[in-house]
Short mmCIF file of all heavy atoms in Angstrom, two decimals:
data_model
loop_
_atom_site.label_atom_id
_atom_site.label_comp_id
_atom_site.label_asym_id
_atom_site.label_seq_id
_atom_site.Cartn_x
_atom_site.Cartn_y
_atom_site.Cartn_z
N LYS A 73 -82.26 12.13 66.21
CA LYS A 73 -81.57 12.29 67.46
C LYS A 73 -80.77 11.02 67.78
O LYS A 73 -79.62 11.02 68.30
CB LYS A 73 -82.46 12.63 68.60
CG LYS A 73 -81.78 13.01 69.85
CD LYS A 73 -82.75 13.66 70.90
CE LYS A 73 -81.96 14.00 72.15
NZ LYS A 73 -80.90 15.00 71.93
N ALA A 95 -71.30 29.52 56.87
CA ALA A 95 -70.42 28.41 57.18
C ALA A 95 -71.16 27.32 57.98
O ALA A 95 -71.94 27.72 58.89
CB ALA A 95 -69.20 28.88 57.95
N TYR A 97 -70.52 23.17 59.81
CA TYR A 97 -69.46 22.29 60.20
C TYR A 97 -70.07 20.96 60.73
O TYR A 97 -71.20 20.97 61.28
CB TYR A 97 -68.67 22.88 61.41
CG TYR A 97 -68.21 24.28 61.18
CD1 TYR A 97 -69.07 25.37 61.28
CD2 TYR A 97 -66.85 24.53 60.93
CE1 TYR A 97 -68.63 26.69 61.12
CE2 TYR A 97 -66.39 25.85 60.73
CZ TYR A 97 -67.24 26.92 60.84
OH TYR A 97 -66.78 28.21 60.75
N TYR A 99 -68.86 18.02 63.52
CA TYR A 99 -67.91 17.54 64.47
C TYR A 99 -68.36 16.17 65.03
O TYR A 99 -69.53 15.90 65.05
CB TYR A 99 -67.82 18.48 65.68
CG TYR A 99 -67.14 19.81 65.39
CD1 TYR A 99 -67.78 20.94 64.94
CD2 TYR A 99 -65.77 19.91 65.54
CE1 TYR A 99 -67.19 22.10 64.69
CE2 TYR A 99 -65.09 21.10 65.36
CZ TYR A 99 -65.84 22.23 64.91
OH TYR A 99 -65.14 23.35 64.68
N GLN A 101 -67.88 13.76 68.52
CA GLN A 101 -67.56 13.85 69.92
C GLN A 101 -67.55 12.47 70.53
O GLN A 101 -68.55 11.75 70.43
CB GLN A 101 -68.49 14.72 70.72
CG GLN A 101 -68.06 14.99 72.16
CD GLN A 101 -68.99 16.03 72.84
OE1 GLN A 101 -70.17 16.07 72.65
NE2 GLN A 101 -68.41 16.84 73.71
N GLY A 104 -64.04 11.55 76.49
CA GLY A 104 -62.64 11.76 76.80
C GLY A 104 -61.81 12.50 75.72
O GLY A 104 -60.60 12.70 75.85
N GLN A 105 -62.49 12.88 74.64
CA GLN A 105 -61.80 13.53 73.54
C GLN A 105 -62.48 14.83 73.25
O GLN A 105 -63.69 15.00 73.42
CB GLN A 105 -61.78 12.66 72.29
CG GLN A 105 -61.05 11.38 72.44
CD GLN A 105 -60.73 10.72 71.09
OE1 GLN A 105 -60.32 11.41 70.18
NE2 GLN A 105 -60.96 9.44 71.04
N GLY A 106 -61.76 15.81 72.72
CA GLY A 106 -62.40 17.05 72.33
C GLY A 106 -63.16 16.84 70.97
O GLY A 106 -62.99 15.84 70.36
N LEU A 107 -63.94 17.84 70.73
CA LEU A 107 -64.69 17.77 69.45
C LEU A 107 -63.65 17.74 68.33
O LEU A 107 -62.75 18.54 68.26
CB LEU A 107 -65.59 19.00 69.28
CG LEU A 107 -66.98 18.93 69.84
CD1 LEU A 107 -66.95 18.84 71.38
CD2 LEU A 107 -67.78 20.13 69.41
N LEU A 109 -63.08 17.82 64.09
CA LEU A 109 -63.74 18.35 62.88
C LEU A 109 -63.68 17.32 61.77
O LEU A 109 -62.70 16.80 61.41
CB LEU A 109 -63.02 19.61 62.42
CG LEU A 109 -63.62 20.33 61.18
CD1 LEU A 109 -65.00 20.83 61.47
CD2 LEU A 109 -62.72 21.47 60.81
N TYR A 112 -66.11 20.85 56.84
CA TYR A 112 -66.70 22.14 56.96
C TYR A 112 -66.95 22.75 55.56
O TYR A 112 -66.27 22.38 54.61
CB TYR A 112 -65.95 23.06 57.89
CG TYR A 112 -64.59 23.53 57.33
CD1 TYR A 112 -64.38 24.74 56.82
CD2 TYR A 112 -63.50 22.66 57.49
CE1 TYR A 112 -63.10 25.19 56.38
CE2 TYR A 112 -62.22 23.05 57.04
CZ TYR A 112 -62.05 24.28 56.49
OH TYR A 112 -60.82 24.70 56.04
N GLN A 114 -67.79 26.64 53.74
CA GLN A 114 -67.89 28.06 53.92
C GLN A 114 -68.83 28.67 52.98
O GLN A 114 -69.19 29.89 53.07
CB GLN A 114 -66.48 28.69 53.79
CG GLN A 114 -65.55 28.18 54.92
CD GLN A 114 -64.16 28.66 54.76
OE1 GLN A 114 -63.73 29.19 53.75
NE2 GLN A 114 -63.34 28.52 55.84
N ASP A 123 -60.11 17.18 60.18
CA ASP A 123 -59.04 16.31 60.69
C ASP A 123 -59.35 14.81 60.54
O ASP A 123 -58.45 13.98 60.52
CB ASP A 123 -58.79 16.64 62.13
CG ASP A 123 -58.34 18.05 62.34
OD1 ASP A 123 -57.49 18.54 61.54
OD2 ASP A 123 -58.81 18.73 63.33
N PHE A 152 -71.18 10.61 69.03
CA PHE A 152 -72.19 11.69 69.07
C PHE A 152 -71.71 12.74 67.99
O PHE A 152 -70.58 13.19 68.08
CB PHE A 152 -72.18 12.33 70.48
CG PHE A 152 -73.24 13.34 70.79
CD1 PHE A 152 -74.56 12.99 70.52
CD2 PHE A 152 -72.97 14.55 71.30
CE1 PHE A 152 -75.63 13.86 70.73
CE2 PHE A 152 -74.00 15.46 71.55
CZ PHE A 152 -75.32 15.08 71.33
N LEU A 154 -72.21 16.31 66.00
CA LEU A 154 -72.66 17.67 66.20
C LEU A 154 -72.50 18.48 64.94
O LEU A 154 -71.42 18.52 64.31
CB LEU A 154 -71.92 18.37 67.33
CG LEU A 154 -72.27 17.86 68.72
CD1 LEU A 154 -71.18 18.23 69.72
CD2 LEU A 154 -73.63 18.39 69.20
N GLY A 160 -69.56 33.24 59.19
CA GLY A 160 -68.60 33.07 58.03
C GLY A 160 -67.23 33.39 58.51
O GLY A 160 -66.90 33.22 59.71
N LEU A 161 -66.44 33.82 57.63
CA LEU A 161 -65.02 34.10 57.98
C LEU A 161 -64.83 35.37 58.75
O LEU A 161 -63.82 35.52 59.40
CB LEU A 161 -64.19 34.13 56.71
CG LEU A 161 -63.95 32.84 55.96
CD1 LEU A 161 -63.26 33.08 54.67
CD2 LEU A 161 -63.22 31.83 56.84
N GLY A 163 -66.14 38.72 61.26
CA GLY A 163 -66.91 38.96 62.51
C GLY A 163 -66.54 38.03 63.60
O GLY A 163 -65.50 37.35 63.55
N ALA A 164 -67.36 37.95 64.66
CA ALA A 164 -67.09 37.17 65.82
C ALA A 164 -66.98 35.66 65.46
O ALA A 164 -66.30 34.94 66.16
CB ALA A 164 -68.17 37.39 66.86
N ASN A 165 -67.78 35.27 64.47
CA ASN A 165 -67.71 33.88 63.98
C ASN A 165 -68.00 32.83 65.09
O ASN A 165 -67.31 31.84 65.17
CB ASN A 165 -66.39 33.63 63.29
CG ASN A 165 -66.53 32.54 62.32
OD1 ASN A 165 -67.55 32.48 61.61
ND2 ASN A 165 -65.55 31.69 62.07
N VAL A 166 -68.93 33.08 65.98
CA VAL A 166 -69.24 32.16 67.07
C VAL A 166 -69.93 30.91 66.42
O VAL A 166 -70.81 31.08 65.54
CB VAL A 166 -70.19 32.86 68.04
CG1 VAL A 166 -70.76 31.78 69.05
CG2 VAL A 166 -69.48 33.94 68.73
N LEU A 167 -69.54 29.75 66.85
CA LEU A 167 -70.24 28.55 66.40
C LEU A 167 -71.54 28.36 67.22
O LEU A 167 -71.54 28.43 68.40
CB LEU A 167 -69.33 27.32 66.67
CG LEU A 167 -68.08 27.21 65.82
CD1 LEU A 167 -67.30 25.94 66.33
CD2 LEU A 167 -68.42 27.06 64.35
N PHE A 169 -74.47 25.47 67.76
CA PHE A 169 -74.55 24.04 67.55
C PHE A 169 -75.99 23.58 67.53
O PHE A 169 -76.88 24.18 68.21
CB PHE A 169 -73.83 23.29 68.73
CG PHE A 169 -72.34 23.37 68.63
CD1 PHE A 169 -71.59 24.41 69.18
CD2 PHE A 169 -71.64 22.35 67.97
CE1 PHE A 169 -70.26 24.43 69.11
CE2 PHE A 169 -70.26 22.37 67.88
CZ PHE A 169 -69.56 23.41 68.41
N GLY A 170 -76.19 22.43 66.88
CA GLY A 170 -77.45 21.73 67.03
C GLY A 170 -77.43 20.85 68.24
O GLY A 170 -76.46 20.80 69.02
N ALA A 171 -78.52 20.09 68.40
CA ALA A 171 -78.71 19.25 69.60
C ALA A 171 -77.90 17.90 69.54
O ALA A 171 -77.81 17.22 70.54
CB ALA A 171 -80.14 19.00 69.87
N ARG A 174 -76.94 10.88 67.95
CA ARG A 174 -76.10 9.79 68.45
C ARG A 174 -76.26 8.55 67.57
O ARG A 174 -77.36 8.05 67.41
CB ARG A 174 -76.54 9.48 69.86
CG ARG A 174 -75.64 8.44 70.48
CD ARG A 174 -75.81 8.29 71.99
NE ARG A 174 -75.48 9.51 72.75
CZ ARG A 174 -74.28 9.89 73.03
NH1 ARG A 174 -73.26 9.18 72.69
NH2 ARG A 174 -74.12 11.07 73.70
N ARG B 253 -57.32 33.71 66.90
CA ARG B 253 -58.34 34.69 66.48
C ARG B 253 -59.60 34.60 67.39
O ARG B 253 -60.71 34.78 66.96
CB ARG B 253 -58.74 34.44 65.00
CG ARG B 253 -57.54 34.77 64.08
CD ARG B 253 -57.98 34.66 62.69
NE ARG B 253 -58.92 35.74 62.29
CZ ARG B 253 -59.47 35.83 61.08
NH1 ARG B 253 -59.29 34.90 60.20
NH2 ARG B 253 -60.27 36.79 60.84
N PHE B 256 -62.97 30.67 72.99
CA PHE B 256 -64.36 30.53 73.22
C PHE B 256 -64.67 29.58 74.39
O PHE B 256 -64.02 28.55 74.53
CB PHE B 256 -65.09 29.93 71.94
CG PHE B 256 -64.93 30.81 70.73
CD1 PHE B 256 -63.70 30.79 69.99
CD2 PHE B 256 -65.90 31.62 70.32
CE1 PHE B 256 -63.57 31.56 68.90
CE2 PHE B 256 -65.80 32.36 69.14
CZ PHE B 256 -64.59 32.34 68.45
N TYR B 258 -67.83 27.28 76.06
CA TYR B 258 -69.15 26.73 75.82
C TYR B 258 -69.55 25.89 77.01
O TYR B 258 -68.71 25.33 77.70
CB TYR B 258 -69.18 25.82 74.59
CG TYR B 258 -69.12 26.51 73.29
CD1 TYR B 258 -67.86 26.89 72.74
CD2 TYR B 258 -70.30 26.82 72.56
CE1 TYR B 258 -67.84 27.53 71.45
CE2 TYR B 258 -70.28 27.45 71.38
CZ TYR B 258 -69.02 27.83 70.83
OH TYR B 258 -68.95 28.45 69.57
N GLN B 260 -71.93 22.52 77.98
CA GLN B 260 -72.62 21.40 77.33
C GLN B 260 -73.27 20.60 78.38
O GLN B 260 -72.68 20.04 79.30
CB GLN B 260 -71.68 20.55 76.54
CG GLN B 260 -72.40 19.53 75.75
CD GLN B 260 -71.47 18.69 74.82
OE1 GLN B 260 -70.30 18.62 75.05
NE2 GLN B 260 -72.05 18.07 73.72
N ASP B 261 -74.63 20.45 78.29
CA ASP B 261 -75.39 19.50 79.11
C ASP B 261 -75.40 18.21 78.51
O ASP B 261 -75.28 17.99 77.32
CB ASP B 261 -76.78 20.08 79.33
CG ASP B 261 -76.80 21.32 80.18
OD1 ASP B 261 -76.29 21.33 81.27
OD2 ASP B 261 -77.26 22.41 79.64
N PRO B 262 -75.60 17.12 79.36
CA PRO B 262 -75.51 15.72 78.84
C PRO B 262 -76.46 15.48 77.68
O PRO B 262 -77.65 15.83 77.81
CB PRO B 262 -75.90 14.83 80.04
CG PRO B 262 -75.46 15.69 81.19
CD PRO B 262 -75.74 17.14 80.78
N GLY B 263 -75.99 14.91 76.63
CA GLY B 263 -76.82 14.58 75.47
C GLY B 263 -77.30 15.78 74.61
O GLY B 263 -78.16 15.60 73.74
N LYS B 264 -76.70 16.93 74.87
CA LYS B 264 -77.09 18.11 74.09
C LYS B 264 -75.87 18.80 73.43
O LYS B 264 -74.74 18.40 73.68
CB LYS B 264 -77.77 19.11 75.05
CG LYS B 264 -79.08 18.58 75.63
CD LYS B 264 -79.80 19.64 76.42
CE LYS B 264 -81.10 19.15 77.00
NZ LYS B 264 -81.82 20.24 77.75
N GLY B 265 -76.18 19.69 72.53
CA GLY B 265 -75.06 20.43 71.85
C GLY B 265 -74.53 21.51 72.78
O GLY B 265 -75.23 22.04 73.65
N PRO B 266 -73.31 21.94 72.54
CA PRO B 266 -72.75 23.01 73.33
C PRO B 266 -73.46 24.31 73.11
O PRO B 266 -73.96 24.65 72.01
CB PRO B 266 -71.27 23.08 72.78
CG PRO B 266 -71.00 21.74 72.16
CD PRO B 266 -72.35 21.33 71.62
N GLU B 267 -73.50 25.09 74.22
CA GLU B 267 -74.15 26.40 74.22
C GLU B 267 -73.09 27.46 74.41
O GLU B 267 -72.32 27.37 75.41
CB GLU B 267 -75.20 26.41 75.31
CG GLU B 267 -75.87 27.77 75.53
CD GLU B 267 -76.85 27.77 76.69
OE1 GLU B 267 -77.24 26.67 77.15
OE2 GLU B 267 -77.22 28.84 77.20
N PHE B 268 -73.07 28.48 73.62
CA PHE B 268 -72.06 29.54 73.72
C PHE B 268 -72.14 30.36 74.94
O PHE B 268 -73.26 30.73 75.38
CB PHE B 268 -72.21 30.44 72.51
CG PHE B 268 -71.31 31.67 72.52
CD1 PHE B 268 -69.94 31.57 72.38
CD2 PHE B 268 -71.88 32.91 72.76
CE1 PHE B 268 -69.14 32.67 72.44
CE2 PHE B 268 -71.10 34.08 72.83
CZ PHE B 268 -69.75 33.92 72.66
N THR B 271 -66.70 34.83 74.28
CA THR B 271 -65.53 34.98 73.39
C THR B 271 -64.60 35.94 73.96
O THR B 271 -64.99 37.04 74.34
CB THR B 271 -65.93 35.42 71.94
OG1 THR B 271 -66.96 34.54 71.48
CG2 THR B 271 -64.75 35.27 71.04
N TYR B 273 -60.68 37.85 73.00
CA TYR B 273 -59.82 38.02 71.89
C TYR B 273 -58.41 38.41 72.19
O TYR B 273 -57.50 38.09 71.46
CB TYR B 273 -60.41 39.09 70.92
CG TYR B 273 -61.63 38.63 70.21
CD1 TYR B 273 -62.93 39.05 70.66
CD2 TYR B 273 -61.57 37.79 69.14
CE1 TYR B 273 -64.05 38.60 69.98
CE2 TYR B 273 -62.70 37.35 68.46
CZ TYR B 273 -63.97 37.78 68.87
OH TYR B 273 -65.07 37.35 68.28
N THR B 307 -70.71 20.22 81.54
CA THR B 307 -69.32 20.17 80.99
C THR B 307 -69.05 21.54 80.36
O THR B 307 -69.82 21.95 79.54
CB THR B 307 -69.13 19.00 80.01
OG1 THR B 307 -69.31 17.77 80.71
CG2 THR B 307 -67.74 19.03 79.45
N LEU B 309 -66.60 23.58 77.96
CA LEU B 309 -65.63 23.34 76.82
C LEU B 309 -64.95 24.65 76.49
O LEU B 309 -65.57 25.69 76.43
CB LEU B 309 -66.32 22.83 75.61
CG LEU B 309 -67.13 21.52 75.71
CD1 LEU B 309 -67.83 21.26 74.40
CD2 LEU B 309 -66.20 20.38 76.06
N ALA B 311 -62.50 26.38 73.45
CA ALA B 311 -62.04 26.25 72.07
C ALA B 311 -61.27 27.46 71.61
O ALA B 311 -61.53 28.61 72.09
CB ALA B 311 -63.22 26.04 71.12
N ARG B 313 -59.89 29.62 68.11
CA ARG B 313 -60.04 29.73 66.65
C ARG B 313 -58.73 30.33 66.19
O ARG B 313 -58.19 31.32 66.66
CB ARG B 313 -61.15 30.69 66.29
CG ARG B 313 -61.32 30.97 64.85
CD ARG B 313 -62.30 32.08 64.55
NE ARG B 313 -62.30 32.46 63.17
CZ ARG B 313 -62.68 33.64 62.64
NH1 ARG B 313 -63.06 34.55 63.47
NH2 ARG B 313 -62.61 33.85 61.34
N GLY B 316 -57.57 30.95 59.46
CA GLY B 316 -58.06 29.94 58.52
C GLY B 316 -59.41 29.39 58.99
O GLY B 316 -59.93 28.47 58.38
N ASN B 317 -59.94 29.97 60.07
CA ASN B 317 -61.34 29.62 60.50
C ASN B 317 -61.38 28.22 61.06
O ASN B 317 -62.46 27.60 60.98
CB ASN B 317 -62.29 29.79 59.32
CG ASN B 317 -63.67 30.10 59.84
OD1 ASN B 317 -63.85 30.75 60.85
ND2 ASN B 317 -64.72 29.67 59.13
N GLN B 318 -60.35 27.67 61.55
CA GLN B 318 -60.39 26.35 62.21
C GLN B 318 -60.53 26.57 63.67
O GLN B 318 -59.88 27.43 64.29
CB GLN B 318 -59.13 25.57 61.95
CG GLN B 318 -58.90 25.25 60.47
CD GLN B 318 -59.28 23.86 60.19
OE1 GLN B 318 -59.83 23.12 61.06
NE2 GLN B 318 -58.99 23.37 58.95
N PHE B 319 -61.34 25.68 64.31
CA PHE B 319 -61.53 25.69 65.74
C PHE B 319 -60.98 24.48 66.33
O PHE B 319 -61.12 23.37 65.78
CB PHE B 319 -63.01 25.78 66.11
CG PHE B 319 -63.70 27.03 65.72
CD1 PHE B 319 -64.15 27.29 64.38
CD2 PHE B 319 -63.97 28.04 66.65
CE1 PHE B 319 -64.77 28.48 64.07
CE2 PHE B 319 -64.58 29.20 66.31
CZ PHE B 319 -65.00 29.44 65.02
N TYR B 320 -60.29 24.65 67.47
CA TYR B 320 -59.72 23.46 68.24
C TYR B 320 -60.34 23.44 69.59
O TYR B 320 -60.24 24.46 70.31
CB TYR B 320 -58.19 23.51 68.25
CG TYR B 320 -57.52 23.36 66.94
CD1 TYR B 320 -57.23 24.45 66.14
CD2 TYR B 320 -57.18 22.10 66.48
CE1 TYR B 320 -56.62 24.26 64.88
CE2 TYR B 320 -56.63 21.91 65.19
CZ TYR B 320 -56.32 23.03 64.42
OH TYR B 320 -55.73 22.91 63.17
N PHE B 321 -60.86 22.31 69.99
CA PHE B 321 -61.55 22.14 71.25
C PHE B 321 -60.69 21.39 72.28
O PHE B 321 -60.04 20.43 71.87
CB PHE B 321 -62.86 21.40 71.03
CG PHE B 321 -63.91 22.24 70.45
CD1 PHE B 321 -64.01 22.49 69.07
CD2 PHE B 321 -64.90 22.90 71.26
CE1 PHE B 321 -64.99 23.31 68.55
CE2 PHE B 321 -65.86 23.67 70.74
CZ PHE B 321 -65.94 23.87 69.33
N GLY B 322 -60.80 21.74 73.56
CA GLY B 322 -60.32 20.95 74.65
C GLY B 322 -61.27 19.81 74.93
O GLY B 322 -62.36 19.73 74.37
N THR B 323 -60.87 18.96 75.85
CA THR B 323 -61.66 17.81 76.21
C THR B 323 -62.75 18.15 77.25
O THR B 323 -63.59 17.28 77.55
CB THR B 323 -60.81 16.66 76.73
OG1 THR B 323 -59.98 17.11 77.82
CG2 THR B 323 -59.90 16.14 75.64
N GLY B 324 -62.70 19.31 77.80
CA GLY B 324 -63.75 19.76 78.72
C GLY B 324 -63.51 19.48 80.20
O GLY B 324 -62.64 18.64 80.54
#
Side-chain angles (χ1 to χ4, degrees):
Chain A
K73 188 168 179 63
Y97 312 76
Y99 287 90
Q101 188 173 36
Q105 297 195 44
L107 274 66
L109 182 64
Y112 66 103
Q114 295 175 348
D123 300 318
F152 190 52
L154 288 161
L161 289 176
N165 210 34
V166 172
L167 291 176
F169 285 89
R174 185 168 297 281
Chain B
R253 298 187 66 185
F256 300 77
Y258 286 85
Q260 185 175 25
D261 292 302
K264 297 187 178 181
E267 176 186 342
F268 171 72
T271 307
Y273 290 101
T307 295
L309 302 175
R313 180 190 171 202
N317 207 32
Q318 295 260 9
F319 291 82
Y320 292 91
F321 283 82
T323 55

